[in-house]
């Protein structure tokens, strides 16, 4: 008789304790083990080597470095890390950036509960998973002729832009991303040039207009 497969081990990364609790209960009902939790990207990067989960469920919008930067650092440490991006954002830029950075899957928080289980199982098998609404948004963005201006930014510029738009200072961004002040300043200059913004307030308006941050 074939022995049963060990349960999938997951690390939940989300800054909302109630969200993590709900996901933990939902996954437990599906015999999926939550081996670790983290409420920041920094914490996730610290705990990942100790836990070695099968799947990391990573929220994008968190204090500090955020999910996108945490994803890059996890994959730099372990190129085989399997990450499922998770977000309340309804734009096409966040999922595209997350998938381009190496996430295997992307799930909108508005998805049905059973979608989380299906997504975790697919990513654990090394398969790509994108929820239907996000896949439709990604496809539509290629053909509707209304490209988000943030698409013009490089991966690092996009990270700097999001953090600036959320009110972080240049010094805070430099510390979070392990960059020098001059490097962040250079990125900021290019971001303003590409987005046609003259100050941080205008960058925030651009991000709000395109649904890249939430108030």
């Amino acid at each position: 008789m074939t022995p049963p497969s060990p349960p999938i081990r997951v690390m939940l990364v989300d800054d909302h304790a109630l969200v993590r609790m709900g996901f933990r209960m939902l996954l437990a009902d599906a015999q999926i083990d939550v081996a670790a939790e983290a409420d920041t990207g920094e914490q996730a990067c610290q705990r990942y080597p100790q836990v070695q989960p099968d799947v990391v469920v990573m929220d994008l919008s968190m204090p500090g470095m955020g999910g996108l930067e945490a994803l890059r650092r996890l994959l730099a440490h372990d190129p085989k890390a399997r990450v499922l991006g998770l977000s309340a954002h309804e734009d096409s830029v966040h999922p595209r950036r997350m998938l381009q950075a190496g996430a295997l899957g992307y799930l909108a928080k508005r998805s049905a509960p059973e979608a989380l289980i299906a997504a975790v199982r697919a990513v654990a098998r090394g398969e790509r998973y994108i929820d239907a609404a996000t896949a439709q948004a990604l496809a539509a963005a290629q053909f509707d002729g209304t490209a988000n201006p943030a698409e013009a930014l490089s991966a690092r510029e996009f990270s700097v832009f999001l953090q600036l738009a959320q009110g972080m200072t240049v010094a805070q961004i430099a510390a979070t991303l392990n960059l020098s002040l001059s490097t962040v300043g250079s990125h900021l200059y290019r971001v303003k040039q590409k987005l046609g913004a003259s100050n941080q307030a205008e960058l925030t308006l651009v991000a709000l207009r395109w649904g890249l941050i939430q108030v």
Side-chain angles (χ1 to χ4, degrees), residues 61-119:
S61 300
M62 296 180 289
M65 71 170 68
L68 191 57
E69 180 66 19
L71 166 65
R72 293 193 188 101
R73 295 190 187 187
L74 285 180
L75 289 174
H77 168 77
D78 179 7
K80 295 182 179 179
R82 294 174 176 177
V83 178
L84 171 66
L86 188 73
S87 180
H89 294 287
E90 308 214 353
D91 62 283
S92 62
V93 177
H94 278 90
R96 181 177 291 110
R97 294 278 180 174
M98 199 75 173
L99 294 167
Q100 288 174 341
L104 267 179
Y106 188 94
L107 185 69
K109 283 188 174 179
R110 67 183 181 279
S111 301
E114 57 268 22
L116 174 64
I117 297 168

Side-chain angles (χ1 to χ4, degrees), residues 86-202:
L86 188 73
S87 180
H89 294 287
E90 308 214 353
D91 62 283
S92 62
V93 177
H94 278 90
R96 181 177 291 110
R97 294 278 180 174
M98 199 75 173
L99 294 167
Q100 288 174 341
L104 267 179
Y106 188 94
L107 185 69
K109 283 188 174 179
R110 67 183 181 279
S111 301
E114 57 268 22
L116 174 64
I117 297 168
V120 167
R121 287 175 172 163
V123 171
R125 293 192 298 267
E127 300 171 3
R128 188 171 293 286
Y129 185 99
I130 305 172
D131 68 271
T134 297
Q136 184 176 12
L138 287 169
Q142 295 183 13
F143 301 107
D144 64 8
T146 55
N148 190 308
E151 297 281 11
L153 304 179
S154 70
R156 182 60 79 196
E157 289 166 356
F158 185 70
S159 294
V160 170
F161 163 57
L162 284 185
Q163 297 197 1
L164 280 165
Q166 293 176 85
M168 293 180 69
T169 66
V170 170
Q172 289 171 327
I173 295 170
T176 299
L177 299 181
N178 290 331
L179 299 173
S180 69
L181 291 173
S182 61
T183 298
V184 174
S186 296
H187 287 313
L188 174 56
Y189 174 79
R190 289 193 293 272
V191 167
K192 287 178 178 178
Q193 291 291 107
K194 291 180 178 181
L195 299 185
S198 59
N199 54 47
Q200 191 168 10
E202 291 183 6

